[in-house]
Amino acid sequence: MRTFSILLLLVAFGCGVKQTRTMLTQGDYDSAVNRAVKGLRNNKDKKGKQDYVYMLEEAYLKANERDMSEIDLLAKDASPRNFEKIFNLYLNLHRRQESIKPLLPLKIIAENRNANFTLRDYSEQIVDSKKALSKYLYDNAQALLLTTGKSNHRRAYDDLMYLDQINPGYKNVADLIEQARFKGTDYVSVHTKNETSMIIPARLNNDLLNFTTQGLNDKWTVYHSARQPGVNYDFGIIINFKNIAVSPEHIKERQFVAEREIIDGRRQLTDRRGRVVRDSLGNIIMVDVKKMVSADVREFTQSKAAQVAAEIEYFDYRNNAKLQSFPLASEFQFLNTYARYRGDRRAVEDNYQNMFDRRAVPFPSNEQIVFDTGEDLKSKLKKIISRNHISN
């Protein structure tokens, strides 16, 4: 078992060395550095780890040379757009040498020397490049916020969020972020319209618009079911009621006769001569008394229904154009069933017995039954909006 474990470790080590060498050959120097650092975290001075030391020395040197060469090229170009790349390259140089510091010194046994890793203090370059980048991001965001396009405001927001990440507390960035968020957001008003001949119950109208926007709002789209002061709405979603129908109150009656054989007590078993029959121990044998019973049953079903049909219309308020529409419909049915009987209640099946304990109830008003369609309408409305997000 121990031999097998050692074999597994040797295989894993060999794979790690091979992977590192492949990364180095392909020019993926940072991955090679990270893989070599990982391989040297334990027993770094063992002879078997020398391959990692050689490759780390080479990968570190080549990675630094490439980054410094790119920084020189970007600096000569002198374009403000290069500030972010220069800043990140200096950060990369710093992070790379920080990753190897805990391992130093690393010995190259065959050459009787320590591996060569040039360490520099990049703090001044990082600070200077961050200052240049921060100023560029800030000035560029301010300029974008003075334009009218929402796409520009969203770019300003992304730049400001990045600026706040690398340089927290910079000037009035927090206020500008909120300004960019507000200007870049598409605001959508959701409201109702009645084209039916019926008055829509106020409770239904309010309840339908009282839906949570959780899961509907995205980064740049906000839905309001009540208009907010100071907001210019870009889009509208109108719940346009087309038809509301309420059926008459109806009571349906059904009559039937129930018959069933039941057990109606116990009696002594007798033979043909009327003598009591006993078992082998002398005990009297008892048997069930069966009886046919019947009942006349009258079943009553109260029913009333409401159907609501609407159309969900999407509008672009900026050019007063209708974008698309979707049907929305719901039905609610009030049902109450109860029963009365004459005769023997036991004639009715057990699963029907609770019908006799029910009573007639008042029919819901037209307003109430229309209102009762609200939960289903609201659920369907939210699904439509979820599947058909306004994007700009």
Side-chain angles (χ1 to χ4, degrees):
M1 186 69 180
R2 183 178 177 184
T3 303
F4 181 70
S5 300
I6 293 173
L7 182 61
L8 284 178
L9 288 172
L10 290 172
V11 170
F13 175 78
C15 289
V17 169
K18 185 177 180 180
Q19 287 175 352
T20 308
R21 186 173 290 111
T22 301
M23 293 168 183
L24 184 56
T25 304
Q26 293 176 346
D28 189 1
Y29 301 133
D30 273 315
S31 294
V33 167
N34 294 334
R35 187 66 189 82
V37 167
K38 183 179 179 182
L40 290 167
R41 281 182 185 148
N42 296 314
N43 302 317
K44 64 174 186 170
D45 295 323
K46 286 185 66 174
K47 189 174 181 180
K49 297 292 184 82
Q50 285 293 287
D51 285 342
Y52 277 133
V53 177
Y54 279 113
M55 288 186 289
L56 179 58
E57 183 181 46
E58 183 181 353
Y60 180 83
L61 174 63
K62 290 183 176 179
N64 280 3
E65 286 179 345
R66 185 165 64 185
D67 285 351
M68 291 305 301
S69 177
E70 189 172 357
I71 288 173
D72 289 341
L73 182 63
L74 293 171
K76 287 176 183 177
D77 184 39
S79 171
R81 297 177 183 175
N82 296 331
F83 290 159
E84 182 179 352
K85 291 182 180 178
I86 293 172
F87 171 64
N88 285 324
L89 284 167
Y90 276 123
L91 281 181
N92 203 36
L93 285 162
H94 173 73
R95 289 168 182 156
R96 186 182 299 125
Q97 72 178 20
E98 289 300 307
S99 71
I100 70 166
K101 275 183 179 180
L103 300 174
L104 302 182
L106 287 171
K107 293 181 179 180
I108 296 182
I109 300 172
E111 301 177 21
N112 193 29
R113 67 175 177 87
N114 289 333
N116 183 26
F117 297 102
T118 302
L119 302 180
R120 293 179 55 186
D121 182 2
Y122 295 104
S123 57
E124 185 176 341
Q125 290 91 335
I126 290 173
V127 169
D128 288 344
S129 60
K130 183 168 72 172
K131 283 181 180 178
L133 175 58
S134 298
K135 185 178 185 305
Y136 169 70
L137 291 170
Y138 182 83
D139 292 343
N140 190 58
Q142 281 194 312
L144 289 171
L145 288 174
L146 293 176
T147 64
T148 56
K150 285 185 183 288
S151 61
N152 288 339
H153 302 151
R154 294 172 186 180
R155 283 172 52 204
Y157 174 84
D158 291 337
D159 284 351
L160 290 165
M161 289 296 289
Y162 178 56
L163 173 53
D164 190 54
Q165 177 186 336
I166 65 171
N167 203 347
Y170 187 84
K171 296 186 177 182
N172 62 331
V173 165
D175 293 334
L176 292 179
I177 286 174
E178 289 308 309
Q179 186 182 142
R181 188 201 308 273
F182 182 78
K183 285 188 171 184
T185 296
D186 285 327
Y187 289 94
V188 185
S189 170
V190 185
H191 59 280
T192 61
K193 181 180 178 182
N194 185 7
E195 290 188 353
T196 73
S197 59
M198 291 184 63
I199 297 175
I200 298 174
R203 287 194 305 154
L204 174 61
N205 190 75
N206 295 336
D207 189 62
L208 194 57
L209 294 178
N210 187 29
F211 62 88
T212 174
T213 56
Q214 182 180 0
L216 297 180
N217 294 340
D218 57 33
K219 183 178 179 180
W220 294 116
T221 310
V222 173
Y223 297 83
H224 287 165
S225 55
R227 284 183 171 254
Q228 305 295 316
V231 176
N232 292 322
Y233 288 91
D234 306 280
F235 299 94
I237 296 178
I238 301 175
I239 309 162
N240 193 352
F241 288 98
K242 297 291 188 178
N243 184 55
I244 298 177
V246 179
S247 71
E249 298 173 358
H250 182 67
I251 300 178
K252 179 181 178 181
E253 182 176 343
R254 180 171 76 101
Q255 288 185 282
F256 62 92
V257 176
E259 291 184 331
R260 189 162 61 152
E261 184 179 64
I262 64 170
I263 296 173
D264 190 31
R266 303 270 287 174
R267 66 174 181 81
Q268 296 177 343
L269 178 65
T270 57
D271 59 18
R272 286 181 294 177
R273 297 181 179 181
R275 293 177 298 183
V276 174
V277 178
R278 298 177 182 270
D279 61 21
S280 60
L281 298 176
N283 299 315
I284 296 175
I285 297 176
M286 303 295 294
V287 293
D288 294 332
V289 177
K290 295 183 179 180
K291 176 182 179 182
M292 286 295 297
V293 293
S294 65
D296 292 323
V297 179
R298 295 176 66 194
E299 181 184 276
F300 304 90
T301 300
Q302 298 174 271
S303 63
K304 185 176 182 178
Q307 292 179 326
V308 177
E311 187 176 41
I312 310 303
E313 300 173 324
Y314 281 60
F315 283 91
D316 185 340
Y317 286 153
R318 298 165 303 180
N319 52 29
N320 199 29
K322 183 176 178 178
L323 301 176
Q324 54 187 337
S325 61
F326 305 92
L328 176 68
S330 181
E331 179 177 356
F332 182 84
Q333 188 171 28
F334 163 79
L335 287 174
N336 179 54
T337 303
Y338 61 97
R340 299 289 177 266
Y341 70 92
R342 293 180 63 184
D344 196 319
R345 177 170 174 166
R346 294 174 297 174
V348 181
E349 296 293 334
D350 295 339
N351 58 6
Y352 193 86
Q353 291 290 331
N354 62 346
M355 289 292 184
F356 300 130
D357 301 324
R358 298 178 180 178
R359 297 290 182 269
V361 297
F363 283 93
S365 65
N366 288 359
E367 178 182 348
Q368 178 62 47
I369 199 167
V370 172
F371 173 75
D372 288 336
T373 65
E375 279 304 313
D376 183 52
L377 283 172
K378 189 159 60 172
S379 174
K380 290 178 178 177
L381 170 63
K382 193 167 181 178
K383 286 180 181 178
I384 289 174
I385 297 176
S386 297
R387 294 170 182 167
N388 301 278
H389 265 257
I390 287 177
S391 58
N392 183 31

